[in-house]
Amino acid sequence: MNNESNDFDDDFEHAVDAYEREDYKTAYKLFLPLAEQEDSDAQCYLGWIYENGHGVPKDIKEALKWFRLAAEQGDYDAQNNLGLIYANGEGVPQDSKKAVKWYRLSAEQGNADAQYNLGMSYAKGHGVLQDFKESVKWYRLAAEQGDAEAQCFLGSMYFEGQGVPQDYKEAEKWYRLAAEQGDVDAQHIMGLIHANGQGVPQDYKEAIKWYRLAAEQEDCYAQYKLGIMYTFGNGVPRDDQEAVKWWKLSAEQGYVEAQRKLDLLSKNFLTK
């Protein structure tokens, strides 16, 4: 039995290694017999392989089959993925209630992704009655595990006073944690709250720092706001050319306010 167990473990490790090297055909060949022996981890990997068309034709129904087999054995990754499939209606009729069912099973096992998804379901009232307090509960559990998206949304709940008393300082704390992980939404919000002095002393240089980080990730709102900062010389020397540069980048992504600024500049130039 020990030799058989060791062989099984070796095969699984080889399969994972092949998957991580993006040798998906080899990974598929190695995972399949393990999955057929009811190994839930292998079944979950086969679900990902079919969901993404890695080494096999993309097949959501086949992905669903393998995710379900793994999920019914309690695999929390598979449970969360099954929830996403039902939430998005991929290969099955869209069903928010079933999505919540699988998110909850996964979230109760401590899966941060599922905790975030369950928090979002409660915030939007998808598959459950809208409940901001319950949303905060699940966002917090995910945020405390370092999930950047959950940290950002928990910050928003404190900022708006939804499910918790409004608290700009607590909002800034969670936004900062998300922003420091590179979450672009949190970065541009950090720029906004430092520019406006909400929960923190007004600090244009700090605002510029966060707007720039988000703008360099092609966030059109941050690009627009960075242009505004250069126009007025807030936190940086006034520089109209730099402002135009960022507005052009923002406008190219379809941000209307940036295009209006450029149009206004053009009209002013023509009337001079």
Side-chain angles (χ1 to χ4, degrees):
M1 286 293 291
N2 287 337
N3 287 338
E4 288 179 12
S5 177
N6 289 338
D7 289 343
F8 189 97
D9 290 342
D10 287 345
D11 288 345
F12 183 78
E13 286 181 15
H14 291 319
V16 171
D17 180 64
Y19 187 88
E20 290 178 349
R21 287 187 286 104
E22 299 184 7
D23 181 0
Y24 297 122
K25 289 186 177 181
T26 298
Y28 174 80
K29 288 178 182 177
L30 292 170
F31 279 131
L32 183 59
L34 302 178
E36 289 173 341
Q37 293 177 63
E38 300 184 359
D39 180 80
S40 63
D41 289 327
Q43 290 170 340
C44 189
Y45 270 104
L46 276 186
W48 283 322
I49 284 171
Y50 275 109
E51 184 179 32
N52 295 294
H54 286 159
V56 295
K58 183 173 180 176
D59 188 332
I60 296 298
K61 287 188 178 179
E62 193 69 11
L64 183 70
K65 163 190 160 182
W66 289 110
F67 282 141
R68 188 184 300 281
L69 287 168
E72 287 172 349
Q73 291 194 69
D75 186 288
Y76 59 72
D77 284 323
Q79 289 168 340
N80 183 55
N81 277 281
L82 201 52
L84 288 169
I85 285 175
Y86 277 111
N88 297 326
E90 296 179 280
V92 291
Q94 197 277 338
D95 192 327
S96 296
K97 288 185 178 180
K98 283 186 179 178
V100 165
K101 166 193 167 182
W102 290 109
Y103 289 154
R104 191 182 305 280
L105 287 169
S106 181
E108 287 172 348
Q109 293 192 68
N111 185 312
D113 290 335
Q115 290 168 342
Y116 164 76
N117 289 332
L118 192 53
M120 183 66 73
S121 297
Y122 275 107
K124 294 188 173 182
H126 290 171
V128 287
L129 291 175
Q130 189 177 55
D131 186 332
F132 291 133
K133 287 186 178 180
E134 195 70 9
S135 177
V136 165
K137 166 189 165 182
W138 291 107
Y139 281 152
R140 190 184 306 282
L141 286 168
E144 288 173 348
Q145 292 194 65
D147 185 285
E149 287 183 297
Q151 289 169 342
C152 185
F153 276 95
L154 185 56
S156 295
M157 301 301 270
Y158 275 106
F159 194 86
E160 300 294 338
Q162 293 182 319
V164 287
Q166 189 176 56
D167 187 331
Y168 288 141
K169 287 186 178 180
E170 192 69 9
E172 195 271 348
K173 164 190 161 183
W174 289 108
Y175 283 139
R176 181 177 294 277
L177 287 169
E180 287 173 348
Q181 292 195 69
D183 186 280
V184 68
D185 291 329
Q187 287 172 343
H188 91 228
I189 294 170
M190 283 289 286
L192 184 65
I193 63 179
H194 279 280
N196 295 336
Q198 291 173 289
V200 291
Q202 188 177 56
D203 187 334
Y204 288 136
K205 287 187 177 179
E206 189 72 4
I208 284 285
K209 165 190 163 182
W210 291 111
Y211 280 147
R212 190 181 305 280
L213 285 168
E216 288 172 350
Q217 291 199 67
E218 300 183 358
D219 183 278
C220 60
Y221 176 81
Q223 290 169 338
Y224 168 73
K225 294 298 286 188
L226 198 52
I228 295 290
M229 301 295 272
Y230 275 107
T231 298
F232 290 101
N234 290 339
V236 287
R238 181 171 176 173
D239 188 330
D240 290 340
Q241 287 187 332
E242 193 70 8
V244 168
K245 164 191 159 182
W246 289 109
W247 286 337
K248 282 183 177 178
L249 288 169
S250 180
E252 285 168 2
Q253 295 191 70
Y255 194 72
V256 174
E257 290 302 317
Q259 187 59 58
R260 285 176 181 164
K261 289 290 185 186
L262 292 171
D263 290 344
L264 184 61
L265 284 175
S266 178
K267 287 176 183 177
N268 289 341
F269 179 78
L270 291 172
T271 56
K272 285 184 179 180

